[in-house]
Amino acid sequence: MVSVIFIAPPAAGKGTISKYLVGNFGYTQLSTGDLLRKAAKEDTTFGRNIKQLIDEGFFVSDEIVLKLIERELEKIKGKAFILDGIPRNILQAKHLEKIFEKINVDKYIVINLDILEDTLKKRATGRRLCNDCHLSYNIYFDGFKPKEENVCDTCHNPLLRREDDAEEVFISRYQTYLKNTLPLIHFYQEKGLLYVVDANCTNAEILENVEKIIKGEEND
Ligand SMILES: [Zn+2]
């Protein structure tokens, strides 16, 4: 199986797709957020440093994140992986290339989930959650709207909106994404590693297209 790096803005459906690939194709998902939280529990100098940075709300440097990724890739050597949360900028991408070379990752592709800002905004700001059954709704999309406004279909509890899904949070995250990530798309395009998948459709359709790309790479 070919390893995959996803480049996608927040709320583009990357989580769902990764979960599907892990479940159906045996991928190992390496998410920088998960790895940092795991490392922070280690009783080592490295672990304690990370814990301190997280606890004090400091930015974890590229150097630490890359070191963590390198260590995990060593552990799963030979297995296909999905990278989530990295690279976020060109510098990280260049370092990743060196790491891949060092541990002989011979084949990987980059999938960009291409999504309109308006679709994305509706996905993020329209999300409503039920605190009880953890069902997720969206007030903007048919099929995802609760039957009764702001009430869970199954438990009849009022639905909640996460602070993260507020419009200001969305706008600031999206701006950061554009600034840092768009140059990455060009970087991987020049290397011939980039696939662009239209993500303005249903999750099922996105998955189908991602699957096609992965299977196509296998048959190459
Ligand atoms: Zn519920």
Side-chain angles (χ1 to χ4, degrees):
M1 220 37 86
V2 63
S3 292
V4 179
I5 294 176
F6 276 114
I7 298 183
K14 198 172 51 184
T16 314
I17 294 165
S18 300
K19 213 185 263 175
Y20 176 84
L21 294 179
V22 170
N24 292 275
F25 292 93
Y27 274 97
T28 302
Q29 186 183 4
L30 300 180
S31 136
T32 49
D34 289 347
L35 291 178
L36 281 169
R37 278 187 290 274
K38 216 170 99 194
K41 290 180 188 152
E42 279 172 22
D43 190 20
T44 59
T45 315
F46 185 57
R48 280 188 293 270
N49 279 341
I50 292 174
K51 185 176 186 312
Q52 197 184 356
L53 288 172
I54 294 175
D55 285 351
E56 290 172 12
F58 284 117
F59 178 73
V60 180
S61 68
D62 279 3
E63 198 191 336
I64 291 178
V65 173
L66 286 159
K67 203 167 158 189
L68 208 52
I69 285 286
E70 180 171 355
R71 208 175 64 167
E72 287 301 309
L73 286 173
E74 284 273 6
K75 281 188 205 159
I76 59 155
K77 221 170 181 172
K79 286 188 190 162
F81 56 84
I82 298 171
L83 283 191
D84 176 9
I86 192 169
R88 285 193 197 276
N89 53 52
I90 294 281
L91 210 67
Q92 287 188 347
K94 287 182 177 164
H95 275 283
L96 263 183
E97 277 195 316
K98 282 185 199 143
I99 294 173
F100 287 171
E101 217 170 281
K102 197 165 144 195
I103 56 176
N104 295 319
V105 173
D106 55 338
K107 205 173 174 189
Y108 68 100
I109 55 169
V110 177
I111 297 180
N112 170 226
L113 299 179
D114 189 35
I115 187 161
L116 294 169
E117 182 177 353
D118 189 54
T119 314
L120 208 54
K121 195 169 161 185
K122 283 179 176 161
R123 278 195 188 190
T125 61
R127 186 156 45 195
R128 298 291 181 273
L129 301 168
C130 172
N131 229 354
D132 256 15
C133 67
H134 302 290
L135 263 181
S136 170
Y137 297 87
N138 194 300
I139 58 168
Y140 295 120
F141 298 103
D142 287 335
F144 296 93
K145 291 177 186 168
K147 288 193 185 97
E148 195 184 326
E149 199 182 324
N150 236 8
V151 174
C152 177
D153 291 352
T154 38
C155 349
H156 308 289
N157 280 320
L159 297 176
L160 302 171
R161 183 186 189 175
R162 291 192 321 179
E163 272 176 45
D164 260 14
D165 295 337
E167 191 164 337
E168 314 83 71
V169 178
F170 167 77
I171 292 169
S172 113
R173 277 197 188 166
Y174 190 67
Q175 291 307 325
T176 309
Y177 169 77
L178 289 184
K179 191 173 129 244
N180 295 330
T181 328
L182 283 183
L184 275 179
I185 292 174
H186 299 295
F187 176 80
Y188 286 120
Q189 194 167 33
E190 276 175 11
K191 295 186 178 291
L193 295 171
L194 186 79
Y195 286 95
V196 179
V197 170
D198 178 13
N200 298 289
C201 41
T202 64
N203 274 337
E205 287 167 309
I206 303 173
L207 284 172
E208 195 184 314
N209 287 324
V210 168
E211 207 173 319
K212 250 184 233 162
I213 292 170
I214 289 171
K215 285 185 176 159
E217 281 286 332
E218 286 308 298
N219 298 330
D220 259 5

